[in-house]
Amino acid sequence: MFTLPQKDFRAPTTCLGPTCMQDLGSSHGEDLEGECSRKLDQKLPELRGVGDPAMISSDTSYLSSRGRMIKWFWDSAEEGYRTYHMDEYDEDKNPSGIINLGTSENKLCFDLLSWRLSQRDMQRVEPSLLQYADWRGHLFLREEVAKFLSFYCKSPVPLRPENVVVLNGGASLFSALATVLCEAGEAFLIPTPYYGAITQHVCLYGNIRLAYVYLDSEVTGLDTRPFQLTVEKLEMALREAHSEGVKVKGLILISPQNPLGDVYSPEELQEYLVFAKRHRLHVIVDEVYMLSVFEKSVGYRSVLSLERLPDPQRTHVMWATSKDFGMSGLRFGTLYTENQDVATAVASLCRYHGLSGLVQYQMAQLLRDHWINQVYLPENHARLKAAHTYVSEELRALGIPFLSRGAGFFIWVDLRKYLPKGTFEEEMLLWRRFLDNKVLLSFGKAFECKEPGWFRFVFSDQVHRLCLGMQRVQQVLAGKSQVAEDPRPSQSQEPSDQRR
Amino acid sequence: MFTLPQKDFRAPTTCLGPTCMQDLGSSHGEDLEGECSRKLDQKLPELRGVGDPAMISSDTSYLSSRGRMIKWFWDSAEEGYRTYHMDEYDEDKNPSGIINLGTSENKLCFDLLSWRLSQRDMQRVEPSLLQYADWRGHLFLREEVAKFLSFYCKSPVPLRPENVVVLNGGASLFSALATVLCEAGEAFLIPTPYYGAITQHVCLYGNIRLAYVYLDSEVTGLDTRPFQLTVEKLEMALREAHSEGVKVKGLILISPQNPLGDVYSPEELQEYLVFAKRHRLHVIVDEVYMLSVFEKSVGYRSVLSLERLPDPQRTHVMWATSKDFGMSGLRFGTLYTENQDVATAVASLCRYHGLSGLVQYQMAQLLRDHWINQVYLPENHARLKAAHTYVSEELRALGIPFLSRGAGFFIWVDLRKYLPKGTFEEEMLLWRRFLDNKVLLSFGKAFECKEPGWFRFVFSDQVHRLCLGMQRVQQVLAGKSQVAEDPRPSQSQEPSDQRR
């Protein structure tokens, strides 16, 4: 269960992770990938209810106890992200700056997107776009979203605009759903490793916890894979939460998965949904990487493609343009749910998550365009695949095992052999050596991975940056980095080959 | 104190107010003006803490208790706003449709704004605008906001970009400030009548209440005016809240005021700020109509123009483009505070209130443009003044007293003589007669006015709509509307002339 420091929110713990940097960024709040929410060398108390007097550190503070908790999330990101932003790599101006392989952004297609968004049809300014509008989103946009999702999710029946709510990104949607589905202090199940920023998305406003379904890399049978989610593990995590007195209200599924780059098969999806129905749990299915499946052999299926949802009134799907269109700064996300109570309650909160009418118009123009299917996606997938091939071949050349199934922007890399004692402290030291050698990565603890030594490498960047980044990684692992002050870890521990 | 129905959030009360329509709009969430949060003919229980089990109406609901409360705010807006949106006036297509004098939007300057936003300099698309950025807002924008506010607020010293946080509108800023400054269940003082949507802005996520400082129209001395806020009234309201066991954390001031169209003098502002400092209260100063002071004789002063703030660490100023630039659909607002803890905590929540990088770029282009001062504001003020003159002369011709001081988009109209018994039920019936006669207004109860019979008339619209709207108002008041099913109220009660 996620924990927070309790005694003094005005002196936050130092950031210990690369993903904090992207994530909780104090001067820059970027990817929100991962989570740096605890100091690894101390045992932190359980997250209390927001507003709990025990969280108030001082009478002199200008903030409420929850305000200090919220600020703590920002401050805790200081070290890593500030380091990066003070010294960003630039081919011409700062060639010795930090290469960012930590933030999950697609930097391969700005040329395509910039071209598309600069076309004349994007520049409409009319009164209705400048006035108050439906908080669910303009109807013209919700109609396009419904058509878009129907087509790209391969829905068996046309999806309906009245089930669509648009807002300014997936983070907001997690916040809104947590608040309208749960009472304060209740929990969602989530399999780990997972996109750690969800912790704060459900907590900062909603005061909701995450109950982890811990997965591991061990392969236990013919039909299993590393970090495989099973109904047995879901049942066990649910029982554990109950035994701790935590009420679980839902399950969060991410497919394609972040950081694993994995997808759930239709059969797996069906099993998880049936499990959720059995326990009357809501399911939030985050499909924010749905169009970033670059490997044709991967049989990705959206949950919206299933013939029949076991519990459609408790199944809520989210998608956004941040990842699939490489536009995390554009702030566009959408909910699809057949539950009109949920849609309405989320819409009611959308007065705080609204996006500009001008952007809504642009998104409608984009989503309706066959250019997506004819030009953008083929090119995007080709570029993702080439970048993925480059990094995975580099890893193979270095003898480093990894997981990657052909979706998303990242490779889940097994650096356990570089941690002699196999501790999270060593994981952190290794991460810091990477940063000191000017390459920013995300460490596994930030994704609540239970095995120390896993790192997420983002590959969706230009090859010259990837090349330099991988060189710097190799230097650290070979003990050749100029700044390595710690004794080089032994490489004697041979990990199992989990490359896929 | 604001109250909510408690027993069944799935069967919300009917909307009884025009401002609900703009405000809590279910199919359209627009102005957020006013508040329709209680059924007038029933005594509703006190708002409980969010998550209070007593609020849970049924085990079968898919929503949490707070989710039902949030949905209730939406549903309660059904009647009025739906009625309007099903039958909107259109000069050509629906000349007998409803004229909207209820939503506080400036519809006089779309030509100017559309022209400006369509210029080539607005169309920039570059990678940094499409990537994750500083959640406080891009630095280039915060720099322009600081310069803009320094100039237009007449700050004695240049304002600083590090004190600026930008986000998607004033509603979000109220939500964020309530959450980071208060524990759940605490309160802000607010003088009434006030912009009623603030109730939900501080409540839906933050679970904060408003403690009303009730003002009335009686003029008690030479230097006073109707609905005048005084320190004595603030002290009394604070004592009352304390006696009810409510902890007050701050004071909300709106200047220019909505719905009064009033401004606070520098001396008044100073008094209120000193009062707040004495009680260690935060002050949120909402200056969202700051550039909509169209009467030159009005000596409007921003709080940021004061030589010295009594308690700068507890003084937080908000502004947005919604009103002053007639762009409520653009979703741009900003906080200015010297308190870095508050700025940081709000910024941490801005991951849920972020606005597109493309819009941030456009706003920076707009705010730095001398066109604002040279073209837009003079023309906007001239148009506002002409529209205001038209409606106020119509009111005078009808013998209807009103308040209006030359700021904002509205006139606060005294229709008390049309309520024989002087009850809120009559106010509601009169409002409904207006709506039945195809003119939408905002009634005083929605602003928590303690005197039944006040209505807010929005005049910032094209003259042909104002003309038709005023004709329809006159028909109702003269008992000549075709739909008047209720007995016409007596006009024998002579109100004092509060026209200014």
Side-chain angles (χ1 to χ4, degrees):
Chain A
M1 196 77 72
F2 165 68
T3 59
L4 273 181
Q6 188 176 335
K7 286 189 180 165
D8 187 2
F9 280 116
R10 295 181 309 147
T13 57
T14 307
C15 172
L16 298 171
T19 51
C20 304
M21 299 181 273
Q22 302 107 278
D23 204 12
L24 307 165
S26 86
S27 57
H28 293 259
E30 10 300 317
D31 189 5
L32 307 182
E33 290 295 324
E35 190 69 34
C36 176
S37 54
R38 60 176 86 190
K39 207 173 168 71
L40 297 177
D41 55 354
Q42 66 180 66
K43 173 71 183 156
L44 297 173
E46 194 75 4
L47 174 63
R48 303 271 189 120
V50 165
D52 187 328
M55 289 174 81
I56 301 173
S57 60
S58 164
D59 288 340
T60 62
S61 170
Y62 294 102
L63 299 176
S64 62
S65 62
R66 58 186 177 181
R68 289 195 288 281
M69 179 268 289
I70 288 162
K71 179 173 175 289
W72 175 87
F73 267 98
W74 179 283
D75 291 335
S76 64
E78 297 290 295
E79 181 202 351
Y81 205 72
R82 279 205 176 147
T83 304
Y84 168 62
H85 267 285
M86 285 186 306
D87 188 22
E88 283 186 47
Y89 170 82
D90 184 278
E91 194 174 3
D92 301 318
K93 295 176 196 159
N94 190 20
S96 65
I98 297 171
I99 295 279
N100 182 357
L101 304 184
T103 303
S104 181
E105 287 191 301
N106 184 345
K107 293 175 181 165
L108 294 168
C109 292
F110 285 133
D111 56 334
L112 303 176
L113 267 304
S114 292
W115 176 85
R116 184 64 193 87
L117 292 173
S118 301
Q119 296 306 297
R120 289 297 296 168
D121 69 325
M122 290 286 171
Q123 317 306 348
R124 190 138 162 204
V125 180
E126 60 180 41
S128 67
L129 300 176
L130 296 180
Q131 290 182 281
Y132 287 114
D134 191 331
W135 288 115
R136 291 174 299 180
H138 280 282
L139 180 59
F140 66 76
L141 175 55
R142 288 184 291 115
E143 286 173 345
E144 290 303 330
V145 168
K147 285 182 206 162
F148 177 89
L149 294 179
S150 298
F151 180 77
Y152 287 102
C153 296
K154 299 183 176 59
S155 166
V157 295
L159 302 176
R160 299 153 60 104
E162 58 266 36
N163 298 341
V164 172
V165 181
V166 303
L167 71 180
N168 65 344
S172 297
L173 192 44
F174 272 116
S175 178
L177 283 171
T179 303
V180 306
L181 298 179
C182 304
E183 314 300 341
E186 293 181 343
F188 287 130
L189 287 178
I190 193 164
T192 77
Y194 76 103
Y195 168 68
I198 294 171
T199 305
Q200 61 191 305
H201 298 339
V202 302
C203 168
L204 295 201
Y205 265 129
N207 194 13
I208 296 309
R209 316 182 201 192
L210 296 177
Y212 300 135
V213 186
Y214 284 109
L215 308 181
D216 54 49
S217 61
E218 193 183 355
V219 177
T220 53
L222 267 181
D223 290 333
T224 67
R225 58 182 189 270
F227 299 104
Q228 180 155 6
L229 179 64
T230 64
V231 169
E232 290 68 32
K233 288 174 182 167
L234 286 167
E235 294 281 6
M236 192 169 69
L238 185 62
R239 279 196 304 274
E240 269 178 27
H242 286 168
S243 73
E244 292 172 14
V246 174
K247 183 158 185 183
V248 174
K249 270 292 182 63
L251 164 66
I252 296 172
L253 296 175
I254 307 171
S255 183
Q257 219 274 355
N258 176 1
L260 298 174
D262 213 348
V263 302
Y264 297 130
S265 70
E267 296 74 26
E268 288 171 329
L269 273 176
Q270 189 74 24
E271 282 179 21
Y272 309 149
L273 294 174
V274 167
F275 155 83
K277 183 180 184 181
R278 186 159 61 243
H279 297 285
R280 301 166 67 89
L281 300 179
H282 291 274
V283 186
I284 299 174
V285 189
D286 176 353
E287 300 191 343
V288 79
Y289 288 96
M290 129 182 126
L291 300 180
S292 300
V293 182
F294 55 87
E295 201 64 76
K296 283 204 175 77
S297 61
V298 175
Y300 173 71
R301 285 279 296 276
S302 164
V303 73
L304 292 172
S305 75
L306 299 182
E307 269 306 313
R308 197 182 146 277
L309 291 172
D311 193 356
Q313 290 295 306
R314 287 196 181 85
T315 307
H316 318 298
V317 185
M318 56 194 289
W319 181 75
T321 52
S322 304
K323 307 301 181 186
D324 286 341
F325 287 93
M327 302 193 301
S328 32
L330 194 118
R331 314 311 305 147
F332 170 76
T334 182
L335 166 70
Y336 191 86
T337 179
E338 291 184 30
N339 187 317
Q340 288 303 302
D341 283 353
V342 173
T344 303
V346 168
S348 187
L349 286 177
C350 278
R351 62 193 79 236
Y352 315 112
H353 306 304
L355 66 164
S356 170
L358 301 181
V359 175
Q360 292 194 44
Y361 182 79
Q362 292 173 323
M363 288 302 94
Q365 292 299 99
L366 177 67
L367 297 183
R368 73 159 58 96
D369 195 343
H370 295 301
W371 170 85
I372 293 173
N373 210 24
Q374 292 164 357
V375 178
Y376 174 73
L377 287 179
E379 183 61 27
N380 184 29
H381 292 167
R383 294 181 189 185
L384 283 171
K385 185 165 179 170
H388 176 265
T389 299
Y390 174 78
V391 173
S392 48
E393 285 180 357
E394 288 289 305
L395 289 167
R396 283 192 192 99
L398 292 171
I400 298 171
F402 59 89
L403 296 174
S404 182
R405 206 174 165 191
F409 304 159
F410 25 72
I411 295 174
W412 190 234
V413 176
D414 181 1
L415 298 181
R416 287 182 292 173
K417 65 180 171 184
Y418 297 97
L419 311 185
K421 298 178 200 156
T423 66
F424 285 115
E425 287 76 5
E426 286 177 323
E427 178 180 278
M428 188 55 49
L429 285 171
L430 181 55
W431 169 78
R432 199 179 299 276
R433 285 216 303 281
F434 286 132
L435 187 63
D436 289 344
N437 202 41
K438 305 296 182 76
V439 60
L440 176 61
L441 296 169
S442 298
F443 62 102
K445 184 67 185 169
F447 302 89
E448 208 60 43
C449 182
K450 76 177 209 181
E451 300 172 357
W454 291 86
F455 283 73
R456 193 187 69 176
F457 283 47
V458 172
F459 61 79
S460 48
D461 204 345
Q462 302 297 328
V463 72
H464 68 277
R465 286 194 287 263
L466 295 180
C467 176
L468 194 53
M470 290 307 292
Q471 280 174 17
R472 293 174 181 180
V473 165
Q474 192 272 334
Q475 287 167 354
V476 170
L477 297 181
K480 291 177 187 162
S481 65
Q482 296 171 339
V483 289
E485 69 269 44
D486 302 305
R488 190 158 64 88
S490 151
Q491 294 189 26
S492 60
Q493 183 190 351
E494 194 61 34
S496 59
D497 187 357
Q498 288 152 350
R499 194 184 309 152
R500 289 184 298 126
Chain B
M1 198 78 71
F2 164 69
T3 58
L4 274 181
Q6 188 179 335
K7 286 188 181 165
D8 188 2
F9 281 115
R10 293 182 311 147
T13 57
T14 306
C15 171
L16 297 171
T19 51
C20 304
M21 300 181 274
Q22 302 109 274
D23 204 12
L24 306 165
S26 87
S27 56
H28 293 260
E30 12 298 316
D31 190 3
L32 307 184
E33 291 293 327
E35 189 70 33
C36 178
S37 55
R38 61 177 85 192
K39 206 171 168 75
L40 297 176
D41 56 353
Q42 67 180 65
K43 174 71 181 155
L44 297 173
E46 194 76 3
L47 174 62
R48 301 274 189 117
V50 165
D52 186 330
M55 289 174 80
I56 301 173
S57 61
S58 164
D59 288 340
T60 62
S61 170
Y62 295 103
L63 299 175
S64 62
S65 62
R66 58 186 178 180
R68 289 195 287 279
M69 180 269 287
I70 288 163
K71 178 172 176 288
W72 175 87
F73 267 98
W74 179 283
D75 290 334
S76 64
E78 297 292 294
E79 182 202 350
Y81 206 73
R82 279 207 175 147
T83 305
Y84 168 62
H85 267 283
M86 284 186 307
D87 188 22
E88 281 187 49
Y89 171 82
D90 184 280
E91 195 173 3
D92 301 319
K93 295 176 195 158
N94 190 20
S96 66
I98 297 171
I99 294 278
N100 182 358
L101 305 184
T103 303
S104 180
E105 286 191 302
N106 185 344
K107 294 176 181 165
L108 294 167
C109 291
F110 285 133
D111 56 335
L112 302 176
L113 266 304
S114 292
W115 176 84
R116 185 63 192 88
L117 292 173
S118 300
Q119 297 306 295
R120 288 297 296 168
D121 70 326
M122 290 285 172
Q123 317 306 349
R124 190 138 161 203
V125 181
E126 59 180 43
S128 67
L129 300 175
L130 296 180
Q131 291 183 280
Y132 286 114
D134 191 331
W135 288 115
R136 292 175 298 181
H138 280 282
L139 180 59
F140 66 76
L141 175 55
R142 288 184 291 117
E143 286 173 345
E144 290 304 329
V145 168
K147 285 183 205 162
F148 177 90
L149 293 179
S150 297
F151 179 77
Y152 288 102
C153 296
K154 298 185 176 60
S155 165
V157 293
L159 301 176
R160 297 151 61 103
E162 58 266 37
N163 298 340
V164 171
V165 181
V166 304
L167 70 182
N168 65 343
S172 297
L173 192 44
F174 272 118
S175 179
L177 282 172
T179 303
V180 306
L181 298 179
C182 304
E183 314 300 339
E186 293 182 341
F188 286 130
L189 287 176
I190 193 163
T192 76
Y194 76 102
Y195 167 68
I198 295 172
T199 305
Q200 59 191 306
H201 298 340
V202 301
C203 170
L204 294 202
Y205 265 128
N207 194 13
I208 295 309
R209 318 181 198 194
L210 295 177
Y212 300 135
V213 185
Y214 283 110
L215 308 181
D216 54 48
S217 62
E218 193 183 355
V219 177
T220 54
L222 269 180
D223 291 333
T224 66
R225 59 181 190 271
F227 299 104
Q228 181 156 6
L229 178 64
T230 63
V231 170
E232 291 68 33
K233 288 174 182 167
L234 286 167
E235 294 280 5
M236 193 168 71
L238 185 61
R239 279 196 303 273
E240 269 179 27
H242 287 167
S243 74
E244 291 172 15
V246 175
K247 182 158 184 184
V248 174
K249 271 292 184 62
L251 164 66
I252 296 172
L253 296 174
I254 307 171
S255 182
Q257 220 274 354
N258 176 1
L260 299 174
D262 213 348
V263 301
Y264 296 130
S265 70
E267 296 74 26
E268 288 171 330
L269 273 176
Q270 189 75 24
E271 282 178 23
Y272 309 149
L273 294 174
V274 167
F275 155 82
K277 183 180 185 181
R278 187 159 60 244
H279 296 285
R280 300 168 67 90
L281 300 179
H282 290 273
V283 186
I284 299 174
V285 190
D286 176 354
E287 300 191 342
V288 79
Y289 289 96
M290 131 182 124
L291 300 180
S292 300
V293 182
F294 54 88
E295 201 64 76
K296 284 205 176 74
S297 62
V298 175
Y300 172 71
R301 287 277 297 275
S302 164
V303 73
L304 292 173
S305 76
L306 298 182
E307 269 306 313
R308 197 183 146 276
L309 291 173
D311 194 356
Q313 290 295 306
R314 286 195 180 86
T315 308
H316 318 297
V317 185
M318 56 193 289
W319 181 75
T321 53
S322 305
K323 307 302 181 186
D324 287 341
F325 286 92
M327 304 194 299
S328 32
L330 193 117
R331 314 312 304 145
F332 171 76
T334 182
L335 166 70
Y336 191 86
T337 180
E338 292 184 28
N339 188 317
Q340 288 304 303
D341 283 354
V342 173
T344 303
V346 168
S348 187
L349 286 176
C350 278
R351 61 194 80 236
Y352 315 112
H353 306 304
L355 66 163
S356 170
L358 301 181
V359 175
Q360 292 195 44
Y361 183 80
Q362 292 174 323
M363 287 302 94
Q365 293 299 99
L366 178 67
L367 297 183
R368 72 158 58 99
D369 195 343
H370 294 303
W371 169 86
I372 293 173
N373 209 24
Q374 291 165 357
V375 178
Y376 174 74
L377 287 179
E379 183 61 28
N380 184 29
H381 293 167
R383 294 181 189 184
L384 283 171
K385 185 165 179 168
H388 176 265
T389 299
Y390 174 78
V391 173
S392 48
E393 284 179 358
E394 287 289 304
L395 290 167
R396 283 192 192 97
L398 293 171
I400 297 172
F402 59 89
L403 296 174
S404 182
R405 206 174 166 192
F409 305 159
F410 24 73
I411 295 174
W412 189 234
V413 176
D414 180 1
L415 299 180
R416 286 181 294 174
K417 65 181 173 185
Y418 298 96
L419 311 186
K421 298 178 201 156
T423 66
F424 285 114
E425 287 76 5
E426 287 176 323
E427 179 181 277
M428 188 55 48
L429 286 171
L430 182 55
W431 169 78
R432 199 179 299 274
R433 286 218 301 282
F434 287 131
L435 187 63
D436 289 344
N437 202 40
K438 304 294 182 77
V439 60
L440 175 62
L441 295 170
S442 299
F443 62 101
K445 185 67 185 170
F447 303 89
E448 207 58 43
C449 182
K450 74 177 212 183
E451 301 172 357
W454 291 87
F455 283 73
R456 193 188 69 175
F457 283 46
V458 171
F459 60 79
S460 47
D461 204 347
Q462 303 296 329
V463 72
H464 68 275
R465 287 195 286 262
L466 294 180
C467 176
L468 193 53
M470 291 307 292
Q471 280 174 19
R472 293 174 181 180
V473 165
Q474 192 273 334
Q475 286 167 355
V476 171
L477 297 180
K480 289 176 186 162
S481 64
Q482 297 172 339
V483 288
E485 68 270 42
D486 302 303
R488 188 159 64 90
S490 152
Q491 296 190 21
S492 61
Q493 183 191 351
E494 193 61 35
S496 60
D497 187 357
Q498 288 152 348
R499 193 183 312 152
R500 289 184 297 126

